[in-house]
Amino acid sequence: MATGYADLLRAPHAMRLLAGTLVGRLPNATAALGIVLLTRSQGADFALAGALSAVYGIANAVGQPLLGRAVDRLGQPRVMLPAALASAAGMAVFALAGLRPLPLAYVAMLVAGFFTPPLEGGLRALWPGVLERPDRVHAAYALDAAAQEVMFAVGPLLVTLLVAGFSEAAALLWIAAVGVAGAVSVVVSPPSRAWRSQPRVPDWLGPLRSRGIVVLVASFFFVGLALGSIAVAAVAYADDHGGGMVSSYVLSGTGFGALVGGVVYGARQWPGVPERRLRLLMAGLAVGYLPLALVPGVASLTALAALSGLFLAPSLACAFVVVDRHAPAGTVTEAFSWIVTAFGVGAAVGTAASGPAAQYGGAVAAFTVAGAGGLAALAVLLAGGRPLRLPNPASGTEKDRIAAAQDGLSSTHQA
């Protein structure tokens, strides 16, 4: 296992791109918790905290595909660097001004969310050129998804430590600055500067003209809803169990489980078509969220959170392969960004719904929102079986043909 990943990371620029992207995405991993903690520290309730998080999430969701489309047309540095600076500026305004005046807080969240650079989609667009071999690319998707969970495991702990040592505002400012540093590391690298998208057919729908992509977007909206609700539910649970680091234990447990699942999943090549495998992984993800509503003691809930995360990174990694197989030519960054958008909108809806749920029904109600989101994500994949049955022939990319051949479908998928 370790040898395979070491070989992958020895490829030129691979380690730098992965590390820079992870650091650049640190604000995403901490925004929900940071917004809730700062809002609560100023005397506001969960409903307002959820509303501000929802504004950030929805703005992020709208901005990702638009910025992704701009990257496909203009290249990565010309879009991602200005976007990273604007996003950090919005978060800094929120950290320094707080909730007074409240309209300014909403505007700051709008700017911070909308201009979040599409580093996730950008990295996944770079992997084929950097790693060259399809088996390496598939393993990189899994490692990328697993390493992302390091951010989601470390991020909440880091926020809590910064808050304890300094303040809520200082934590947000520090994380925003680190996010800009990560984005700069990526966009000045040779692969990022040299990357160009394939020519695309002029079409305002872009990757959404693929029905398979639409199914994935709908399904991962509900995964985002589940994850967004868990962030609020963890804080509500902590309020009932002594506060302090409790919310970070729960959120980091979810991230740790996803890290383990992603590393194990990416260590081998799996038989069968990825579309069918994604449904099985999503079933495990959906079932894993249900026991959280039992809200046992802190140690038990942290363990359940870790179990619930086991299928998250594998589901993401498998979804990336499916996106590669279904995205029309010239839309790869935008296609990946639509998955991020689905997460963002879902997380925003999840935080908005779980805020009132936590306010009136406590942690049990908030964790129930997460369980419902996981079941809905699985239902969408099962209902959308036909569009996901075969790769979209409109993609016409070499990586699709290789992936199809590897899965025994080369006779039915000729670009």
Side-chain angles (χ1 to χ4, degrees), residues 192-253:
S192 179
R193 288 187 285 112
W195 180 86
R196 294 295 181 271
S197 177
Q198 290 180 301
R200 61 184 286 161
V201 176
D203 184 349
W204 71 273
L205 281 175
L208 295 183
R209 69 176 181 266
S210 165
R211 294 174 63 196
I213 297 294
V214 172
V215 171
L216 289 174
V217 167
S219 178
F220 278 86
F221 163 84
F222 289 108
V223 176
L225 185 149
L227 294 177
S229 64
I230 286 175
V232 176
V235 176
Y237 177 84
D239 282 354
D240 295 332
H241 291 78
M245 301 281 287
V246 172
S247 61
S248 296
Y249 295 154
V250 176
L251 295 176
S252 297

Side-chain angles (χ1 to χ4, degrees), residues 12-121:
H13 310 294
M15 177 65 82
R16 173 181 178 175
L17 290 173
L18 180 61
T21 301
L22 289 173
V23 172
R25 280 147 49 182
L26 183 60
N28 287 6
T30 58
L33 181 60
I35 293 168
V36 170
L37 291 176
L38 181 62
T39 303
R40 292 283 289 164
S41 73
Q42 299 191 3
D45 58 20
F46 280 111
L48 179 58
L52 286 169
S53 294
V55 169
Y56 176 90
I58 291 173
N60 183 290
V62 173
Q64 288 295 298
L66 295 178
L67 293 173
R69 181 170 293 193
V71 167
D72 283 331
R73 292 178 175 176
L74 303 175
Q76 294 192 0
R78 294 172 64 185
V79 176
M80 289 190 182
L81 183 55
L85 293 171
S87 178
M91 191 61 76
V93 169
F94 176 66
L96 295 173
L99 302 178
R100 297 181 179 86
L102 188 57
L104 179 61
Y106 278 108
V107 172
M109 289 296 90
L110 183 68
V111 171
F114 182 87
F115 287 103
T116 300
L119 292 168
E120 292 182 61

Side-chain angles (χ1 to χ4, degrees), residues 38 51 53 80 131 133 150 174-175 200 253 327 344 346 366 369 401 403 411:
L38 181 62
S53 294
M80 289 190 182
L131 300 176
R133 292 185 353 225
V150 174
W174 190 88
I175 287 168
R200 61 184 286 161
V369 175
R401 290 196 293 271
S411 62

